[in-house]
Amino acid sequence: MLQRRIFTAALLAAASLAHAQGPNTAAYPSKPIRVIIPSTPGGGTDFIGRNLATHMAEAKGWVLVPDNRPGAGTALGLSELARAAPTGYDIVIGQSDNVSLIPLLMKTSYDPIKDLQPISLLATTPMVILVMANSPYKTLNDLIEAARKAPGQLNYGTSGTGGSVHISMEMLQAAGGFKMQHVPYKGSSPALADLMGGHLMVAGASISSATTLIQSGKVRALAVTSAARNASLPDVPTVAESGYKNYSFVTYYGVFAPAGTPAEVVKSLNAVVTQVMARPDVRAAYAKQGLEASSSTPQAFAKLIEQDIAKAKATIQAANIQVQ
């Protein structure tokens, strides 16, 4: 009887120690991992989430289940992740809009710094500045010169107030010393339709939204916002090439877990993501979408996010951007 009591006490002590140390990560993952995609099927975020899930499964034999959770301007999926248990069985594809921008412009149920654990950067992509195919503006400097001569009279469309396109255009106006009238739309498609219809003089858009129209000659691309030219639009110059050498704007995509996820789980996730993003076929598939595939350490990704938030905050305050 005494031996049984000692054995039972030892078991209870071991269980208590295991509970104190948190979940057992030695066998991670021992069940499917949910990949939250905070958008509807189709589009850049969905492509990234499903591509990553497929190749992570191929690389490690893990089971990953994509789960589209659109809503609240792509913030709903991150809210759901922030509420999830920090065990590594829920991850999300986040991007500039819902990590760096939305929390600065409206109340969200998550704090991007306190509630999200960065795993790795996945990709970056610039915006592209567009005019009508028959526009008199042949270069970015043509546009800027015209805007300086008529402050506030030229209009430009974006996919919405406070989004990445809007922020990139406000940064350009600050750099170039000119002002245009912002016309926000509910998405890129209606903005580009009005550009082609002659209702807008200028539009900003993501490369994935505009590449087909550019290649078909329906719109003219004046510049991309990245520091270097984009592989999918090699003939389109950068804003920096027009004389604004300090101007650079890209949006990022990355993968996150809930804050408090064990360090060993974060390390395991980062290792397989890094392996996947180094594959030439993955990089080629991303390039076709106008995305530059990448990866990073969790620490480097966290630093990028902090810098991006600081830059966005300064632009939002200077331009007095408010979401109604």
Side-chain angles (χ1 to χ4, degrees):
M1 180 65 70
L2 178 60
Q3 288 180 334
R4 180 176 296 178
R5 288 177 181 174
I6 294 173
F7 180 69
T8 302
L11 285 177
L12 289 173
S16 177
L17 179 61
H19 179 75
Q21 290 177 335
N24 179 18
T25 61
Y28 176 84
S30 59
K31 62 180 182 179
I33 298 170
R34 181 173 65 141
V35 182
I36 300 172
I37 301 171
S39 66
T40 54
T45 306
D46 186 64
F47 162 79
I48 288 173
R50 292 179 182 276
N51 183 284
L52 183 67
T54 296
H55 288 100
M56 286 177 70
E58 289 178 0
K60 301 293 287 187
W62 296 357
V63 178
L64 295 101
V65 182
D67 184 15
N68 291 87
R69 294 287 176 169
T74 72
L76 182 63
L78 275 75
S79 296
E80 186 161 335
L81 180 87
R83 294 193 300 268
T87 56
Y89 290 100
D90 294 277
I91 59 176
V92 73
I93 305 301
Q95 48 126 308
S96 298
D97 279 9
N98 49 31
V99 177
S100 295
L101 299 180
I102 290 177
L104 293 175
L105 293 163
M106 62 185 71
K107 186 176 181 179
T108 60
S109 61
Y110 62 91
D111 182 309
I113 301 299
K114 295 179 180 178
D115 297 330
L116 306 179
Q117 167 61 58
I119 300 298
S120 177
L121 177 68
L122 297 175
T124 59
T125 186
M127 302 295 105
V128 59
I129 301 164
L130 308 161
V131 294
M132 294 179 291
N134 61 353
S135 171
Y137 311 127
K138 306 296 184 183
T139 68
L140 180 62
N141 280 327
D142 289 343
L143 170 63
I144 292 175
E145 183 178 349
R148 285 173 177 164
K149 291 179 179 178
Q153 294 185 34
L154 274 68
N155 61 21
Y156 74 96
T158 73
S159 54
T161 300
S164 293
V165 179
H166 186 197
I167 298 298
S168 70
M169 293 298 291
E170 289 293 343
M171 287 177 60
L172 176 63
Q173 291 174 87
F178 65 97
K179 191 66 179 176
M180 298 190 294
Q181 180 64 42
H182 178 219
V183 183
Y185 289 78
K186 292 183 178 180
S188 294
S189 295
L192 293 174
D194 271 6
L195 179 68
M196 291 185 288
H199 304 295
L200 287 174
M201 299 175 182
V202 186
S206 65
I207 287 182
S208 59
S209 299
T211 298
T212 300
L213 298 177
I214 296 168
Q215 292 175 342
S216 64
K218 294 180 179 179
V219 297
R220 179 187 300 146
L222 298 184
V224 293
T225 63
S226 48
R229 294 194 182 196
N230 186 268
S232 65
L233 296 173
D235 296 327
V236 179
T238 66
V239 171
E241 288 178 70
S242 296
Y244 303 95
K245 298 187 183 302
N246 293 325
Y247 180 95
S248 175
F249 182 93
V250 296
T251 60
Y252 63 80
Y253 295 85
V255 60
F256 299 82
T261 299
E264 285 303 310
V265 171
V266 172
K267 184 178 179 181
S268 294
L269 286 166
N270 178 266
V272 68
V273 169
T274 300
Q275 180 182 345
V276 167
M277 300 312 295
R279 289 177 51 157
D281 59 331
V282 170
R283 290 180 172 272
Y286 274 54
K288 289 181 180 179
Q289 301 289 325
L291 301 164
E292 183 175 346
S294 186
S295 64
S296 69
T297 65
Q299 294 78 15
F301 190 26
K303 184 175 181 180
L304 183 153
I305 292 166
E306 290 178 0
Q307 292 173 340
D308 199 65
I309 289 173
K311 185 166 63 174
K313 186 175 183 179
T315 300
I316 288 168
Q317 291 177 342
N320 193 29
I321 296 172
Q322 299 179 11
V323 175
Q324 303 297 325

